[in-house]
Amino acid sequence: MVIDIIKAKIDVVEEIGLVVTLQKSGKSFKGLCPFHNERTPSFHVFAESQTWHCFGCNEGGDVFTFVQKQQGLEFRDALLYLAEKAGVLVEDHSSRNPEEEREITAVKDRLRKVNEDALLWFHQMLLRSREAAEARAYVQSRGISSDSVITFGLGYAPDRWDSLCSYLLGQGYTERELINGGLARDRTSGEGEGQEKSGGVYDYFRGRLIFPIRDMRGRVIGFGGRALGDEQPKYLNSPQTLLFEKNSVLYALDMAKDAIKLANQVVIVEGYVDAVIAHQYGTKQTVACIGSAITAKHIQQLKKLTKQVTLALDPDAAGATATEHGIQEALKSFDHTVVPVPLAAAAGGRKRNEPRGMIRLEEQVDAEINVLQLPAGEDPDEVIRRDFSLWAYAVSHPLPLVDYYFVAKTAGLNLREPNGKSEVARRLLPVIGMISDRVKRDAYIRKLATMITIDERSLHEELQRVLRGQRAEEAGFLGSAPRRGPGGVPQSSSFPSSEGRGKEGGLDRSRNNRLQWEDYLIGLLLQNPGLSPYVCGIINDGDFAGTDTRELYHILNSVYQRGSSSSNQSFEQHVPSALLATVARAQQCIESRPPRDGAGQVRDAVQCATRLKRTHLLQLNTELKYLVREAEEAGDVVSMQQLQHQLLEIHRQLRTIDSATHLQG
Ligand SMILES: [Zn+2]
């Protein structure tokens, strides 16, 4: 299989060594983790198993995961990258037929070319034409340097009806191509729709300063045009085209992506000028969202680069709504890790009627979202130009989301009145509940208690109530079946998970082969995508040992979470052909066993997932013990303490898993 051949040819130590300075220590190699900030190395590469793991941020995997994470690639692209390196041929004939594929590629290429030509023309206009004098004056008045004009390729669209069109038509493009590229409008559109007579075309952008919008790879896909006078709209963006998808593009992302990785932060501003000025002054981790709403698609692109999102949207009322909206999208779109937490250890203690060893599944957002605080009434570009140090400080010390909510959610409430107090608690407790760090959480409870002068302990109790209310539904272990939004997949009632425990089912305990368990789990999920929420509370991508099964699990989960009604069809669209063999293998693995009813499937899936989690934890345990011994021999006290700490954490998780297994019977 292609993946195995690649893995045999590419050494994980060598590949990671290209990016991380690795130091040999015993059988493993260590270095500073490229995925989180640290001063002492907790990032380890194991030559023997060809795996890596960071005991600081808990990222880990094989060479594929490393390339994916480090370069921000989808599995498919990581596969192509590694295959090329290994000199292995991968054929990826995905869902579409090749004929169609070729045609679309050709059309796209042509649209790219027309956009590229338009860009050059706009740019020359701004630099040289007499009629662009006003635009040049505007550029200067906003403090945009001539270097920035060139790097960002700013341009000018003259205030005439067909100057760009007649230029491009002269270059051999057709009217249809100009319209499809979002550069021209049809004169006849609006009246007599659907009629084929051509009344000619006219320029889409007129009398505007032009900001070229590029994709992640720096190719022009559309334009943003800012009015110079009072014309409406103030900002006009390219219409939706084959290349330009408004809701997913972030302005300046192509120029910001390296800085985002380096700074491990992305700053999102609202306007093109804000982004240009931020870059000009050196805060290159800045992008602007096009239109004003942050969408899930924006976050999808960003989360491959960083987990720290700083929103620098306007502080006015509309801005606050946009900020709130952005936060919600970000919270939804980042990966959620569901962590089992023993109830006995939870703050606030265990309720009398809850059995010992009971666990709660806590959902944690795998990201840090915060809000940039700027002086009221000033746009980022104004702040930057007036006082860069103020901006730089704000960027490096953004307001954590929870603190932001403490301000935003209490505005206008009277904290001295009982009604105001309970309203504040009602609004803020769910926010506090999202904090995974218990010490931090307690600190915020204290802050809230002081704010509304209420006993801390009753707030803790209230918080537990809120958390239980929110999460019990999600928790497969607690008896109530997972609730899932859209999707049309079998819902709770078909899988009573409390029923029929005790029996092991058909799983052969002795065949403790991790990869086979992975195949079996994938097979179950293929057969019934509705099992996904039962499983994702227990394991995540990182717990898989097989590259192929891990990616399939990832695809299955994301297809399920996107809630497609025809899960199977859309699943097939997402599977790279290199993984089709694994799909067949997993299906076979299911077919070779007696059929299960709904409850049986749930039981098997949960059991499988638990076992895989346990195996992974045991592997980490072994690796850690080895590293501890090594640190001990080297007399490295600091590392030893850190590793011991991690070891305890692994043991805690193992105990949790074991008590959960015990509960499942
Ligand atoms: Zn790390």
Side-chain angles (χ1 to χ4, degrees):
M1 206 172 103
V2 163
I3 293 171
D4 299 320
I5 302 172
I6 291 174
K7 279 175 141 180
K9 288 198 175 181
I10 292 183
D11 179 34
V12 73
V13 181
E14 244 170 66
E15 181 61 31
I16 294 179
L18 296 175
V19 186
V20 181
T21 315
L22 291 175
Q23 196 189 333
K24 191 166 168 54
S25 76
K27 274 192 286 181
S28 74
F29 294 81
K30 64 177 176 181
L32 293 174
C33 177
F35 306 117
H36 85 281
N37 255 325
E38 61 175 5
R39 288 206 198 117
T40 48
S42 34
F43 179 86
H44 295 265
V45 186
F46 305 95
E48 208 166 291
S49 57
Q50 287 287 303
T51 59
W52 58 278
H53 192 87
C54 171
F55 292 98
C57 64
N58 257 320
E59 296 283 359
D62 57 16
V63 68
F64 281 83
T65 6
F66 185 83
V67 167
Q68 273 181 268
K69 276 197 205 312
Q70 204 267 325
Q71 300 187 29
L73 298 178
E74 295 290 339
F75 174 79
R76 207 184 279 261
D77 298 318
L79 177 65
L80 290 176
Y81 164 84
L82 288 170
E84 197 181 317
K85 262 195 144 171
V88 177
L89 196 68
V90 201
E91 276 175 78
D92 194 7
H93 17 249
S94 6
S95 48
R96 270 195 286 268
N97 72 54
E99 192 77 21
E100 208 179 323
E101 194 83 53
R102 224 172 298 137
E103 216 166 275
I104 289 177
T105 313
V107 174
K108 277 190 174 171
D109 283 348
R110 187 77 179 155
L111 289 189
R112 280 201 189 97
K113 203 162 167 301
V114 70
N115 272 296
E116 204 66 55
D117 284 346
L119 162 71
L120 289 175
W121 189 83
F122 284 139
H123 190 52
Q124 287 308 315
M125 275 291 156
L126 180 65
L127 295 184
R128 304 199 206 294
S129 81
R130 192 176 301 168
E131 55 202 307
E134 194 195 340
R136 286 191 292 265
Y138 175 79
V139 165
Q140 210 167 18
S141 75
R142 296 294 300 261
I144 301 172
S145 71
S146 42
D147 275 354
S148 294
V149 168
I150 299 195
T151 353
F152 283 86
L154 303 196
Y156 175 64
D159 197 8
R160 279 184 279 149
W161 285 101
D162 61 355
S163 37
L164 177 66
C165 284
S166 55
Y167 168 75
L168 290 174
L169 291 172
Q171 297 292 303
Y173 294 103
T174 65
E175 290 184 348
R176 188 39 53 198
E177 283 173 328
L178 301 193
I179 294 169
N180 290 349
L183 294 162
R185 290 186 211 253
D186 195 340
R187 274 190 202 281
T188 53
S189 74
E191 312 139 34
E193 254 177 86
Q195 287 175 23
E196 276 295 306
K197 68 169 186 222
S198 169
V201 291
Y202 63 96
D203 289 359
Y204 184 90
F205 295 101
R206 296 181 312 280
R208 286 171 185 271
L209 180 65
I210 298 289
F211 296 83
I213 300 165
R214 300 164 197 273
D215 64 10
M216 187 87 120
R217 288 161 66 179
R219 301 175 299 190
V220 189
I221 50 173
F223 299 93
R226 193 199 189 283
L228 290 169
D230 292 327
E231 297 92 81
Q232 290 299 324
K234 194 164 146 196
Y235 286 100
L236 177 70
N237 298 316
S238 290
Q240 179 91 16
T241 70
L242 203 51
L243 299 179
F244 186 67
E245 203 189 319
K246 243 182 239 185
N247 294 337
S248 70
V249 186
L250 285 160
Y251 179 66
L253 182 57
D254 57 312
M255 282 187 270
K257 63 172 192 261
D258 291 337
I260 291 172
K261 275 199 266 182
L262 210 65
N264 191 19
Q265 176 192 34
V266 59
V267 178
I268 305 181
V269 294
E270 241 167 284
Y272 299 115
V273 177
D274 293 327
V276 171
I277 295 289
H279 277 246
Q280 186 175 313
Y281 281 78
T283 13
K284 295 192 184 213
Q285 68 271 42
T286 308
V287 300
C289 55
I290 291 167
S292 61
I294 293 172
T295 66
K297 285 184 177 164
H298 291 138
I299 304 293
Q300 290 295 340
Q301 300 176 66
L302 292 174
K303 75 180 193 186
K304 294 177 205 157
L305 303 171
T306 182
K307 287 177 177 177
Q308 207 196 147
V309 178
T310 303
L311 301 169
L313 309 177
D314 276 357
D316 60 17
T321 320
T323 305
E324 173 66 31
H325 182 80
I327 291 168
Q328 291 310 327
E329 283 300 331
L331 287 177
K332 261 192 286 173
S333 315
F334 268 96
D335 297 334
H336 287 223
T337 314
V338 182
V339 208
V341 178
L343 273 185
R350 179 162 54 95
K351 281 272 154 59
R352 190 162 302 203
N353 55 357
E354 280 166 350
R356 180 174 294 279
M358 192 72 169
I359 60 164
R360 183 179 74 223
L361 296 181
E362 279 191 5
E363 198 174 13
Q364 297 173 358
V365 176
D366 217 2
E368 194 180 314
I369 297 156
N370 43 46
V371 179
L372 200 117
Q373 268 189 312
L374 292 179
E378 265 187 298
D379 280 342
D381 74 301
E382 292 168 327
V383 177
I384 296 171
R385 285 191 293 142
R386 181 171 62 77
D387 184 353
F388 179 72
S389 61
L390 181 69
W391 165 260
Y393 184 84
V395 166
S396 53
H397 299 80
L399 198 61
L401 188 56
V402 185
D403 292 292
Y404 169 78
Y405 274 138
F406 263 82
V407 179
K409 295 223 172 203
T410 56
L413 292 177
N414 185 347
L415 305 186
R416 259 173 252 121
E417 270 181 44
N419 278 346
K421 287 182 189 202
S422 58
E423 183 58 23
V424 169
R426 200 185 61 78
R427 291 185 191 178
L428 289 178
L429 281 174
V431 177
I432 295 174
M434 291 189 313
I435 307 168
S436 47
D437 185 324
R438 195 147 291 123
V439 178
K440 264 194 211 164
R441 187 191 280 181
D442 289 352
Y444 280 110
I445 284 286
R446 214 165 303 133
K447 183 173 171 179
L448 178 58
T450 318
M451 190 175 193
I452 55 178
T453 49
I454 273 182
D455 178 33
E456 244 179 76
R457 202 170 322 154
S458 53
L459 277 181
H460 270 299
E461 273 167 28
E462 188 61 19
L463 177 65
Q464 292 309 314
R465 214 181 52 78
V466 169
L467 289 176
R468 261 197 300 278
Q470 277 177 354
R471 283 165 184 139
E473 305 149 339
E474 303 285 336
F477 288 142
L478 290 182
S480 48
R483 175 188 54 127
R484 203 68 239 185
V489 283
Q491 297 253 327
S492 49
S493 55
S494 33
F495 304 128
S497 60
S498 54
E499 186 193 32
R501 58 176 56 167
K503 273 269 161 93
E504 257 300 301
L507 294 184
D508 185 359
R509 265 186 190 280
S510 67
R511 259 169 61 197
N512 194 3
N513 183 323
R514 195 170 169 186
L515 293 176
Q516 276 181 8
W517 283 95
E518 290 180 5
D519 280 358
Y520 184 59
L521 184 59
I522 297 298
L524 281 169
L525 287 167
L526 282 168
Q527 190 182 32
N528 180 358
L531 294 171
S532 170
Y534 290 91
V535 172
C536 70
I538 306 168
I539 48 167
N540 50 49
D541 300 358
D543 291 317
F544 282 79
T547 308
D548 48 356
T549 39
R550 181 181 56 234
E551 179 59 16
L552 283 178
Y553 177 74
H554 179 78
I555 298 171
L556 278 162
N557 255 342
S558 40
V559 167
Y560 179 78
Q561 269 165 17
R562 248 175 269 135
S564 149
S565 50
S566 50
S567 298
N568 266 329
Q569 204 181 356
S570 87
F571 168 74
E572 257 140 41
Q573 271 169 20
H574 288 92
V575 176
S577 32
L579 297 181
L580 290 177
T582 312
V583 172
R585 205 177 64 212
Q587 275 162 345
Q588 232 165 24
C589 185
I590 291 294
E591 280 157 17
S592 65
R593 291 162 196 273
R596 293 262 179 286
D597 63 350
Q601 287 177 352
V602 172
R603 218 166 36 238
D604 277 6
V606 166
Q607 203 173 55
C608 225
T610 313
R611 187 173 287 242
L612 289 174
K613 181 82 192 179
R614 195 164 195 284
T615 315
H616 185 211
L617 286 172
L618 285 174
Q619 178 203 334
L620 291 177
N621 183 52
T622 314
E623 285 168 356
L624 263 171
K625 278 210 287 220
Y626 165 77
L627 294 173
V628 168
R629 198 170 346 113
E630 217 173 59
E632 208 170 10
E633 278 162 18
D636 185 347
V637 185
V638 180
S639 296
M640 217 172 80
Q641 277 170 346
Q642 270 177 357
L643 293 166
Q644 291 278 18
H645 183 76
Q646 292 300 326
L647 201 56
L648 286 177
E649 175 59 25
I650 300 280
H651 289 171
R652 191 187 65 76
Q653 291 186 35
L654 271 169
R655 272 199 307 277
T656 311
I657 279 286
D658 286 344
S659 57
T661 318
H662 187 68
L663 273 181
Q664 287 155 29

